[in-house]
PDB file of all heavy atoms in Angstrom:
ATOM      1  N   GLY A1644      -9.688  20.384  -6.457  1.00  0.00           N
ATOM      2  CA  GLY A1644      -8.928  21.407  -5.686  1.00  0.00           C
ATOM      3  C   GLY A1644      -9.894  22.529  -5.252  1.00  0.00           C
ATOM      4  O   GLY A1644      -9.741  23.019  -4.094  1.00  0.00           O
ATOM      5  N   GLU A1645     -10.773  22.937  -6.105  1.00  0.00           N
ATOM      6  CA  GLU A1645     -11.632  24.060  -5.758  1.00  0.00           C
ATOM      7  C   GLU A1645     -12.636  23.652  -4.655  1.00  0.00           C
ATOM      8  O   GLU A1645     -13.057  24.550  -3.898  1.00  0.00           O
ATOM      9  CB  GLU A1645     -12.423  24.500  -7.004  1.00  0.00           C
ATOM     10  CG  GLU A1645     -11.534  25.299  -7.910  1.00  0.00           C
ATOM     11  CD  GLU A1645     -12.164  25.681  -9.269  1.00  0.00           C
ATOM     12  OE1 GLU A1645     -13.409  25.241  -9.449  1.00  0.00           O
ATOM     13  OE2 GLU A1645     -11.571  26.435 -10.058  1.00  0.00           O
ATOM     14  N   VAL A1646     -13.032  22.365  -4.693  1.00  0.00           N
ATOM     15  CA  VAL A1646     -13.948  21.958  -3.542  1.00  0.00           C
ATOM     16  C   VAL A1646     -13.283  22.163  -2.148  1.00  0.00           C
ATOM     17  O   VAL A1646     -13.942  22.555  -1.218  1.00  0.00           O
ATOM     18  CB  VAL A1646     -14.331  20.438  -3.840  1.00  0.00           C
ATOM     19  CG1 VAL A1646     -15.033  19.920  -2.599  1.00  0.00           C
ATOM     20  CG2 VAL A1646     -15.194  20.330  -5.023  1.00  0.00           C
ATOM     21  N   PHE A1647     -11.968  21.903  -2.134  1.00  0.00           N
ATOM     22  CA  PHE A1647     -11.333  21.981  -0.873  1.00  0.00           C
ATOM     23  C   PHE A1647     -10.751  23.373  -0.554  1.00  0.00           C
ATOM     24  O   PHE A1647     -10.655  23.834   0.595  1.00  0.00           O
ATOM     25  CB  PHE A1647     -10.136  20.955  -0.797  1.00  0.00           C
ATOM     26  CG  PHE A1647     -10.666  19.570  -0.648  1.00  0.00           C
ATOM     27  CD1 PHE A1647     -10.687  18.694  -1.764  1.00  0.00           C
ATOM     28  CD2 PHE A1647     -11.009  18.970   0.511  1.00  0.00           C
ATOM     29  CE1 PHE A1647     -11.146  17.481  -1.753  1.00  0.00           C
ATOM     30  CE2 PHE A1647     -11.462  17.702   0.668  1.00  0.00           C
ATOM     31  CZ  PHE A1647     -11.576  16.927  -0.509  1.00  0.00           C
ATOM     32  N   PHE A1648     -10.248  24.060  -1.629  1.00  0.00           N
ATOM     33  CA  PHE A1648      -9.572  25.374  -1.377  1.00  0.00           C
ATOM     34  C   PHE A1648     -10.349  26.587  -1.905  1.00  0.00           C
ATOM     35  O   PHE A1648      -9.932  27.687  -1.656  1.00  0.00           O
ATOM     36  CB  PHE A1648      -8.190  25.295  -2.131  1.00  0.00           C
ATOM     37  CG  PHE A1648      -7.193  24.400  -1.456  1.00  0.00           C
ATOM     38  CD1 PHE A1648      -7.152  23.096  -1.725  1.00  0.00           C
ATOM     39  CD2 PHE A1648      -6.238  24.900  -0.601  1.00  0.00           C
ATOM     40  CE1 PHE A1648      -6.265  22.238  -1.163  1.00  0.00           C
ATOM     41  CE2 PHE A1648      -5.309  24.059   0.022  1.00  0.00           C
ATOM     42  CZ  PHE A1648      -5.291  22.739  -0.257  1.00  0.00           C
ATOM     43  N   GLY A1649     -11.433  26.294  -2.556  1.00  0.00           N
ATOM     44  CA  GLY A1649     -12.288  27.509  -3.120  1.00  0.00           C
ATOM     45  C   GLY A1649     -11.593  28.113  -4.330  1.00  0.00           C
ATOM     46  O   GLY A1649     -10.534  27.729  -4.822  1.00  0.00           O
ATOM     47  N   ARG A1650     -12.226  29.285  -4.754  1.00  0.00           N
ATOM     48  CA  ARG A1650     -11.766  29.918  -5.997  1.00  0.00           C
ATOM     49  C   ARG A1650     -11.401  31.372  -5.682  1.00  0.00           C
ATOM     50  O   ARG A1650     -11.064  32.125  -6.581  1.00  0.00           O
ATOM     51  CB  ARG A1650     -12.818  29.878  -7.026  1.00  0.00           C
ATOM     52  CG  ARG A1650     -13.077  28.497  -7.586  1.00  0.00           C
ATOM     53  CD  ARG A1650     -14.284  28.494  -8.592  1.00  0.00           C
ATOM     54  NE  ARG A1650     -13.992  29.460  -9.661  1.00  0.00           N
ATOM     55  CZ  ARG A1650     -14.849  29.714 -10.623  1.00  0.00           C
ATOM     56  NH1 ARG A1650     -16.074  29.031 -10.665  1.00  0.00           N
ATOM     57  NH2 ARG A1650     -14.711  30.603 -11.593  1.00  0.00           N
ATOM     58  N   LYS A1651     -11.574  31.898  -4.424  1.00  0.00           N
ATOM     59  CA  LYS A1651     -11.480  33.346  -4.237  1.00  0.00           C
ATOM     60  C   LYS A1651     -10.046  33.764  -4.188  1.00  0.00           C
ATOM     61  O   LYS A1651      -9.769  34.982  -4.601  1.00  0.00           O
ATOM     62  CB  LYS A1651     -12.238  33.633  -2.824  1.00  0.00           C
ATOM     63  CG  LYS A1651     -13.638  33.432  -2.918  1.00  0.00           C
ATOM     64  CD  LYS A1651     -14.350  33.773  -1.610  1.00  0.00           C
ATOM     65  CE  LYS A1651     -15.908  33.576  -1.663  1.00  0.00           C
ATOM     66  NZ  LYS A1651     -16.499  33.884  -0.366  1.00  0.00           N
ATOM     67  N   SER A1656      -5.961  28.751  -4.936  1.00  0.00           N
ATOM     68  CA  SER A1656      -6.507  28.104  -6.084  1.00  0.00           C
ATOM     69  C   SER A1656      -5.414  27.235  -6.810  1.00  0.00           C
ATOM     70  O   SER A1656      -5.619  26.116  -7.181  1.00  0.00           O
ATOM     71  CB  SER A1656      -7.153  29.052  -7.110  1.00  0.00           C
ATOM     72  OG  SER A1656      -8.260  29.604  -6.480  1.00  0.00           O
TER      73      SER A1656
END
Side-chain angles (χ1 to χ4, degrees):
E1645 289 176 351
V1646 168
F1647 291 98
F1648 289 84
R1650 293 176 55 185
K1651 294 183 178 180
S1656 294

